[in-house]
C-alpha cells in the first residue's frame, strides 16, 4: 500500500471514529436530560410527579414537554451547558452512592431555587417575552420590565424569584412534605387511631 493511500485510509478511519464518538456523546447527553433518567433516583420522584402534572411537563393543550435540563442547566453556551451537566451529574451520582439522601432537606433547598433554575433556559423558550410592549395583562408587562431593569443592577432577580412554582405545578411542597419523617409519623398516628 502506498503512503498516500495509507494516509487517506487513516484519515477516513479517524473521521468515522470521530463522527461515531460525537453521535454517541450527543445521544448520551440527550438521554440523560429528561424525567425518565432524572426520575430513576427514588429521591427525585416528587419532582418528577409534579413536573409531569405541570404545563412544562406536557400537561398543556399542545403536548409540549420541556426536559429537566431545559430549566436546570445554563444555556448561555454549549460549553457551559456541557460542563455544568458533567459537574452536576457527577455530584448527583456521588451523593446518591455515598450519602444518605433521605437526610436532604428538599423543602429548604427550594429556597435556593435561583441556584438551580437558569434564566437562560427560561428565555430560550420565552425569548420574545421581554420584548413585549403590549400585553393582555398589564401587570405582567410591568413586572417583566422590572426584571429587565433589575438585570442592570448589582442585585438582579431571576425568573424563579417571582415564578416560584414554575415547572412543578405548585404541588411540589405538598409532595415533598409527604417524604418527611414527621409527615410519615403523623400518617401512622392517623392509621393507628382507625
Amino acid at each position: 500500500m502506498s503512503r498516500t493511500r495509507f494516509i487517506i485510509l487513516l484519515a477516513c478511519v479517524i473521521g468515522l471514529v470521530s463522527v461515531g464518538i460525537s453521535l454517541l456523546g450527543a445521544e448520551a447527553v440527550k438521554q440523560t436530560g429528561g424525567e425518565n433518567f432524572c426520575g430513576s433516583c427514588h429521591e427525585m420522584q416528587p419532582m418528577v410527579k409534579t413536573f409531569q402534572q405541570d404545563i412544562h411537563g406536557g400537561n398543556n393543550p399542545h403536548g409540549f414537554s420541556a426536559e429537566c435540563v431545559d430549566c436546570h442547566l445554563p444555556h448561555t453556551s454549549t460549553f457551559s451547558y456541557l460542563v455544568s451537566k458533567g459537574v452536576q451529574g457527577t455530584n448527583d451520582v456521588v451523593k446518591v452512592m455515598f450519602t444518605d439522601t433521605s437526610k436532604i432537606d428538599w423543602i429548604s433547598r427550594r429556597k435556593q431555587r435561583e441556584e438551580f433554575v437558569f434564566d437562560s433556559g427560561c428565555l430560550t423558550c420565552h425569548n420574545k417575552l421581554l420584548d413585549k410592549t403590549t400585553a393582555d395583562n398589564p401587570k405582567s408587562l410591568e413586572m417583566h420590565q422590572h426584571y429587565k431593569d433589575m438585570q442592570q443592577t448589582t442585585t438582579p432577580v431571576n425568573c424563579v424569584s417571582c415564578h416560584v412554582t414554575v415547572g412543578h405545578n405548585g404541588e411540589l411542597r405538598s409532595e415533598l412534605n409527604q417524604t418527611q419523617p414527621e409527615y410519615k409519623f403523623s400518617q401512622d398516628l392517623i392509621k393507628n387511631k382507625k
Side-chain angles (χ1 to χ4, degrees):
M1 179 183 288
S2 73
R3 183 178 173 99
T4 306
R5 282 187 180 175
F6 176 76
I7 291 172
I8 291 171
L9 181 62
L10 183 61
C12 288
V13 169
I14 290 172
L16 287 173
V17 169
S18 298
V19 167
I21 290 171
S22 296
L23 290 174
L24 286 173
E27 187 62 23
V29 167
K30 183 179 182 326
Q31 292 298 320
T32 58
E35 78 265 16
N36 290 334
F37 180 80
C38 297
S40 62
C41 292
H42 171 73
E43 54 276 352
M44 288 288 121
Q45 288 307 304
M47 289 68 142
V48 171
K49 181 179 180 182
T50 55
F51 166 74
Q52 291 171 338
Q53 295 168 349
D54 188 74
I55 193 167
H56 288 89
N59 189 12
N60 60 69
H62 308 291
F64 166 78
S65 180
E67 298 283 333
C68 301
V69 295
D70 291 336
C71 302
H72 295 290
L73 287 179
H75 292 265
T76 51
S77 71
T78 303
F79 181 76
S80 66
Y81 177 89
L82 292 174
V83 167
S84 184
K85 185 171 180 64
V87 169
Q88 288 184 38
T90 302
N91 180 54
D92 292 346
V93 168
V94 168
K95 284 217 167 95
V96 167
M97 292 182 72
F98 300 109
T99 65
D100 183 0
T101 56
S102 68
K103 293 185 178 176
I104 297 173
D105 185 356
W106 292 107
I107 294 172
S108 292
R109 304 257 316 159
R110 290 183 68 225
K111 295 175 186 162
Q112 300 168 308
R113 65 190 168 276
E114 286 93 347
E115 298 174 32
F116 304 109
V117 180
F118 295 87
D119 284 6
S120 57
C122 302
L123 296 173
T124 296
C125 295
H126 301 283
N127 56 357
K128 295 187 181 188
L129 182 68
L130 299 178
D131 296 332
K132 284 186 173 184
T133 55
T134 60
D136 296 335
N137 181 346
K139 188 70 174 170
S140 167
L141 192 63
E142 177 186 342
M143 295 312 295
H144 288 118
Q145 182 59 50
H146 176 68
Y147 169 88
K148 285 169 54 174
D149 295 341
M150 291 300 291
Q151 299 313 303
Q152 310 306 317
T153 69
T154 57
T155 56
V157 295
N158 294 29
C159 297
V160 293
S161 299
C162 298
H163 300 278
V164 177
T165 62
V166 69
H168 296 279
N169 87 329
E171 295 297 322
L172 182 56
R173 183 178 180 88
S174 176
E175 288 293 324
L176 289 172
N177 280 337
Q178 296 177 35
T179 67
Q180 301 302 303
E182 59 271 14
Y183 178 86
K184 291 175 184 173
F185 177 74
S186 68
Q187 293 303 304
D188 289 342
L189 286 176
I190 291 167
K191 285 179 189 173
N192 290 335
K193 286 183 178 180
K194 289 182 178 180

